[in-house]
Amino acid sequence: SFITPGTMASLESEPTPHVYVVTSKAGLQARTAPNVGDEVRAKGKDFSKGDLVAVDAIMPSLHNGTEKKPGKHGNGPFLRLDSNEGLWLFEFKENERLMERVKVQAGLWCYKVNNSGVGLALRCMPTTRSDMRLDPEVLYPHDTTIWADRLVNDTAGATFVRVQGTKGWLFTTRDGEETLTRVPRLQDGCVATTSSSSAALPIAEVRKLAARYGWSEVQYSAESRVIAFTRMSETNGRMRVNVYYTTGTVGTSLNHPIDGPGQMFRRCTSLRDLEQIFSNPRVHTERGYKRRRNDPLDGGRPPPGTSC
C-alpha cells in the first residue's frame, strides 16, 4: 500500500547516511513510489545481490510498521534512494528480507586518484557500476587529491568513500586494481584539522573575504566543517560557494552561459586562492575538477535476471 508523506523519517539529522546491501538472490528493482507493486517499477533501475544502496529517508508501512520492521502485510520499511531521483526500495516484501543495513564510518580521509588516462567519475551510490555515474558527470582526473567523509565496505571487502562536499561515491579498487591511493596525514599537503582556529582557511578571514566581494552567508555547519555563501549575477544567476575550511576544498555552483548549470571543486592552499574564487567563481586552477557530461568510463552493469 502507498504511504502518506507524514510518516517519513528523514535521516538528514543523523551523522551518516544509511547504507543497505541487497541480500535477495533475485535482486531488486527500484520503485517510483514507496510501494512493492509492479505498477510502480522503475525501468532500468535494477540492483543485484551484494549491491550497496545509500538511503536518505525511511518510510515505515502504515500497517503497524516501524523504521526497522515491516507492517502486518510483511512489506517495508521503504527506503528512498539518495540519488535525487525519487526512487524507492524496500527492506521486506511479504515478510522476506531483501536488504540489510551495513555500517558506515564517519571521518576524514585523504586520497589521490590512481587511474591514469581516464580518472574516476563520481557515482550516486557506493558502486563501481558505470550506469550509476552522476548526471551531469563529475570527473576526477588522475592524481587529483580528494577528501572523503564517509566510508563503507561491501560484503566482498571492497571499500567505497563519499567525497566531502558531495553526495557522490568513489571506490578504492576495481577488478583488483587500486583506483584511489590513501595519502597519510602530513604528506603531500593532506592535512586535516578539527579546530576552526587552526583551519586551512580561518573562518573569520573567509567571512571577511566573502563580505568584501558582496557574498551573503547562508549556511554554517561545524559538524560538516563548511560555510556557504550566495550571490546573484546577471550572467550566471544565483551563485553559491561552499568553503570546507579545514581542508581548503571550495565548491562553486553556477549557471554557465554556454555549458549550463554546473559545479566546480578546487583546493585552495591560501586565502589568496579563495579571494580569486570570490572575485570570479569561474576562475580555473590546476587543483580542481568540474562536472561535465558524456565522458564515458569503464564499468559494469548488473547481469540480467528477474528481480523482486
Side-chain angles (χ1 to χ4, degrees), residues 30-283:
R31 279 18 181 209
T32 58
N35 191 322
V36 300
D38 292 342
E39 69 278 6
V40 290
R41 286 178 181 263
K43 185 177 180 180
K45 299 296 182 179
D46 301 308
F47 296 88
S48 300
K49 182 179 180 181
D51 281 351
L52 296 179
V53 179
V55 172
D56 68 355
I58 300 174
M59 188 178 289
S61 170
L62 282 180
H63 302 286
N64 300 320
T66 70
E67 293 179 27
K68 296 183 179 180
K69 295 180 180 180
K72 69 177 183 178
H73 298 304
N75 300 324
F78 298 93
L79 314 173
R80 189 176 67 188
L81 305 190
D82 190 20
S83 60
N84 297 323
E85 298 177 288
L87 298 179
W88 298 80
L89 289 173
F90 33 88
E91 193 170 352
F92 288 87
K93 180 181 179 181
E94 298 176 356
N95 287 314
E96 178 186 0
R97 177 179 286 278
L98 306 175
M99 306 182 72
E100 290 183 356
R101 190 177 297 180
V102 298
K103 182 179 179 181
V104 179
Q105 298 181 53
L108 201 58
W109 300 270
C110 186
Y111 292 90
K112 283 195 173 182
V113 175
N114 182 24
N115 198 28
S116 181
V118 293
L120 289 179
L122 205 62
R123 269 61 171 174
C124 64
M125 293 288 151
T127 180
T128 62
R129 288 171 48 178
S130 61
D131 63 314
M132 292 291 174
R133 293 196 302 263
L134 291 184
D135 183 23
E137 188 172 85
V138 178
L139 182 68
Y140 297 77
H142 174 69
D143 208 37
T144 298
T145 298
I146 67 104
W147 288 90
D149 60 6
R150 301 292 186 268
L151 184 149
V152 64
N153 296 309
D154 67 10
T155 54
T159 299
F160 300 88
V161 296
R162 190 183 72 175
V163 177
Q164 185 188 45
T166 78
K167 297 176 72 175
W169 298 79
L170 292 176
F171 37 90
T172 60
T173 59
R174 180 172 57 187
D175 299 329
E177 299 291 331
E178 185 180 66
T179 51
L180 289 176
T181 301
R182 179 78 170 89
V183 181
R185 292 186 179 187
L186 304 180
Q187 180 179 330
D188 292 342
C190 268
V191 183
T193 62
T194 56
S195 170
S196 61
S197 62
S198 60
L201 299 172
I203 295 177
E205 298 301 322
V206 170
R207 285 176 166 143
K208 288 180 182 178
L209 285 176
R212 181 183 305 169
Y213 290 94
W215 293 83
S216 300
E217 184 174 335
V218 293
Q219 179 190 8
Y220 170 71
S221 172
E223 179 183 358
S224 299
R225 303 163 190 170
V226 63
I227 184 168
F229 306 87
T230 61
R231 193 181 78 184
M232 292 299 299
S233 164
E234 292 183 3
T235 304
N236 301 306
R238 183 177 181 270
M239 305 181 295
R240 181 179 174 113
V241 173
N242 292 338
V243 180
Y244 296 86
Y245 50 84
T246 61
T247 64
T249 299
V250 178
T252 56
S253 175
L254 52 84
N255 187 39
H256 193 279
I258 298 176
D259 298 332
Q263 290 186 337
M264 179 179 289
F265 291 81
R266 286 147 291 186
R267 186 157 181 264
C268 294
T269 58
S270 67
L271 287 170
R272 176 57 183 162
D273 289 343
L274 179 62
E275 184 174 11
Q276 289 181 323
I277 293 174
F278 278 134
S279 174
N280 176 17
R282 289 170 54 188
V283 67

Side-chain angles (χ1 to χ4, degrees), residues 7-14 56-59 67 80:
T7 63
M8 181 148 28
S10 173
L11 301 182
E12 294 177 356
S13 62
E14 299 191 6
D56 68 355
I58 300 174
M59 188 178 289
E67 293 179 27
R80 189 176 67 188

